[in-house]
Amino acid sequence: MTTSELTLPPTAEVKRERRRVMGAGKQLHAGPVTYVVLVLFALVSLAPLVWTAIAASRTDHRLAETPPPLWFGGNLFKNLQAAWDQAGLGTAMLNSLVVAGTITVSTVLFATLAGFAFAKLRFRFSGLLLLLTIGTMMIPPQLAVVPLYLWMSDFGWSNQLQTVILPSLVTAFGTFFMRQYLVQALPTELIEAARMDGASSLRVVWHVVFPAARPAMAVLGLLTFVFAWNDFLWPIIALNQQNPTVQVALNSLGTGYVPDQAVIMAGALLGTLPLLIAFLLFGKQIVGGIMQGAIKG
């Protein structure tokens, strides 16, 4: 009997590998049920935004009628102008851009560095420090409002933007998020190879850690920007109407004996537009970065 006649049955691992190779060239196609579900989810997600735009294009009297309007009216630009002037959204937009941009850049940078340290570096009490970092996420932010306000008042920073920026320069969630990503996405061998080539710690971070962490940094940056832009609790306490962020400025639209709901909706629409623009401009790059990180992982 020759060796060619000695054929052993393929193992389960070989069978799985064959199925993987055979299915690699096939493209999955969505069925009609998938499209129906996706369309329903899209409609439900867009409904609040569409209603805000419809309400912003109507008059306050028409919004109070029954049934409510289901299509756009002709007062959109008039209400947008009224909301812009009444709330002083020019200054507020600039302030929110400074606050959200600074917080986003700082959080992504520091969270990536801290996440890399917890994921790949060995130092004493690293597990305890990580546990304490995660534990801070369990403390309600409302408990820190009074001591934080007293602290900022001692610095003489009342009604100034640094009062809002400083407490949010880095977050425990961002650190934990980057740590969990870098544990899997950044091979230890790659860091050791860079060390053997004589790379300093700064070069390792710049040329090894940051490229590997880019997909997660993009996601964390978008989440941080959205959270900082929409934050209301601390800015309404720390700032006033002379130097507001967008959310603080929009709060002034609800004052008065009979608030104009159409103008309020127009202001909310203006406050949402920068976030929509950010998603339209950077959404594809962020999704592409996530997919690239998933393939490499």
Side-chain angles (χ1 to χ4, degrees):
M1 183 179 294
T2 61
T3 56
S4 60
E5 296 174 345
L6 295 175
T7 57
L8 297 176
T11 62
E13 183 178 354
V14 174
K15 292 180 179 180
R16 287 195 299 268
E17 183 65 19
R18 287 179 180 176
R19 288 195 297 267
R20 187 188 69 81
V21 173
M22 293 177 62
K26 298 180 180 179
Q27 185 176 4
L28 298 178
H29 296 278
V33 177
T34 304
Y35 284 107
V36 171
V37 173
L38 291 177
V39 169
L40 289 177
F41 271 93
L43 292 177
V44 172
S45 301
L46 291 175
L49 181 62
V50 173
W51 165 247
T52 301
I54 292 175
S57 65
R58 295 287 184 165
T59 63
D60 189 52
H61 177 72
R62 178 64 182 90
L63 293 178
E65 295 179 354
T66 303
L70 299 178
W71 193 244
F72 299 93
N75 296 327
L76 178 61
F77 294 103
K78 177 183 177 181
N79 292 332
L80 290 176
Q81 185 65 45
W84 184 275
D85 295 337
Q86 293 179 23
L89 288 179
T91 301
M93 288 280 188
L94 180 60
N95 288 344
S96 285
L97 186 61
V98 171
V99 170
T102 304
I103 291 175
T104 299
V105 173
S106 173
T107 298
V108 171
L109 175 63
F110 290 135
T112 303
L113 295 176
F116 165 65
F118 283 124
K120 297 298 178 179
L121 300 183
R122 296 181 179 179
F123 54 94
R124 296 181 62 183
F125 308 116
S126 60
L128 177 61
L129 291 175
L130 180 61
L131 184 63
L132 290 175
T133 301
I134 298 174
T136 59
M137 298 169 58
M138 304 177 186
I139 302 176
Q142 293 83 358
L143 295 180
V145 167
V146 174
L148 189 59
Y149 183 82
L150 295 176
W151 187 24
M152 294 301 166
S153 297
D154 291 339
F155 286 156
W157 289 351
S158 298
N159 302 322
Q160 299 183 28
L161 295 183
Q162 58 263 36
T163 308
V164 181
I165 295 174
L166 184 62
S168 303
L169 288 180
V170 66
T171 61
F173 168 76
T175 301
F176 179 72
F177 177 79
M178 295 304 303
R179 187 261 178 193
Q180 293 300 105
Y181 180 84
L182 290 174
V183 165
Q184 300 293 334
L186 181 59
T188 305
E189 294 80 7
L190 194 61
I191 301 174
E192 294 176 351
R195 295 286 191 187
M196 293 179 63
D197 291 339
S200 62
S201 298
L202 183 60
R203 289 181 63 88
V204 169
V205 170
W206 185 260
H207 293 286
V208 178
V209 178
F210 283 170
R214 191 174 300 161
M217 292 170 68
V219 176
L220 178 61
L222 182 60
L223 294 176
T224 303
F225 184 84
V226 172
F227 177 81
W229 185 275
N230 291 329
D231 190 19
F232 177 76
L233 175 63
W234 177 237
I236 193 63
I237 297 174
L239 303 177
N240 56 24
Q241 293 296 333
Q242 282 68 45
N243 193 33
T245 58
V246 168
Q247 310 307 324
V248 177
L250 292 179
N251 184 59
S252 64
L253 295 177
T255 59
Y257 185 73
V258 182
D260 194 329
Q261 299 296 328
V263 175
I264 293 175
M265 290 297 182
L269 186 62
L270 286 172
T272 308
L273 284 180
L275 299 181
L276 297 178
I277 295 173
F279 274 105
L280 292 176
L281 292 179
F282 304 109
K284 183 180 294 185
Q285 289 80 354
I286 292 173
V287 173
I290 296 173
M291 296 303 298
Q292 180 182 2
I295 294 174
K296 288 184 178 180

